[in-house]
Amino acid sequence: MKKTIIIISSLLLLIVISFTIYWNLPITVTRSSDIQFGNGLIQHIETYRKINKKLPENNDWKTLDQLGFKKVELGTQPDYKTDNNGNYELVYLDSFDGPYLVWNSKEKNWSIDFPKIYK
């Protein structure tokens, strides 16, 4: 009986430690596939901007599809938003409340944050 309690306690402790380590890893590790996909989209957007001297429109589905965005029920994945100042933002909307994985063209880095550009 004592051996069973020690084994169960050890397993629970191992699970708690594993979750703690995972939650404290940098986003470049935990979200690496999303970041790699997003970096490819950023390169395509910047190339589009150089060629056309403007950003793709938020609702130009044909162009966004050509740039590599995945079409989902409510828009694209990641979500793409622009403002009137020539800035854009990629947001991975994973849950309802956030914070989300965000890349902003002003800050030029990935972060776990809330969107700064609103449609």
Side-chain angles (χ1 to χ4, degrees):
M1 181 70 171
K2 189 174 183 181
K3 189 175 182 179
T4 306
I5 292 174
I6 291 173
I7 291 173
I8 291 174
S9 298
S10 298
L11 285 174
L12 288 174
L13 182 62
L14 181 65
I15 290 170
V16 168
I17 290 171
S18 297
F19 275 116
T20 303
I21 290 171
Y22 178 79
W23 285 113
N24 289 310
L25 288 172
I27 61 170
T28 54
V29 174
T30 59
R31 301 294 300 270
S32 65
S33 62
D34 289 336
I35 290 173
Q36 286 178 351
F37 181 73
N39 287 339
L41 291 175
I42 292 164
Q43 289 177 347
H44 295 304
I45 292 168
E46 292 299 331
T47 301
Y48 181 92
R49 184 194 306 225
K50 286 179 185 175
I51 293 170
N52 298 296
K53 308 290 188 232
K54 64 175 187 164
L55 289 171
E57 297 294 323
N58 290 329
N59 296 323
D60 185 358
W61 304 118
K62 183 178 177 184
T63 301
L64 294 177
D65 184 47
Q66 290 173 348
L67 293 176
F69 282 89
K70 297 175 187 173
K71 183 124 170 75
V72 293
E73 196 172 311
L74 298 174
T76 61
Q77 181 68 4
D79 192 37
Y80 169 76
K81 299 175 190 174
T82 60
D83 65 9
N84 295 329
N85 300 324
N87 301 309
Y88 64 95
E89 196 167 62
L90 300 179
V91 181
Y92 281 94
L93 301 171
D94 298 326
S95 62
F96 293 111
D97 297 334
Y100 310 107
L101 178 62
V102 176
W103 190 88
N104 187 294
S105 64
K106 283 172 103 174
E107 298 170 0
K108 298 200 184 299
N109 69 334
W110 289 99
S111 63
I112 300 294
D113 203 353
F114 291 97
K116 295 171 181 70
I117 297 175
Y118 301 98
K119 292 181 182 177

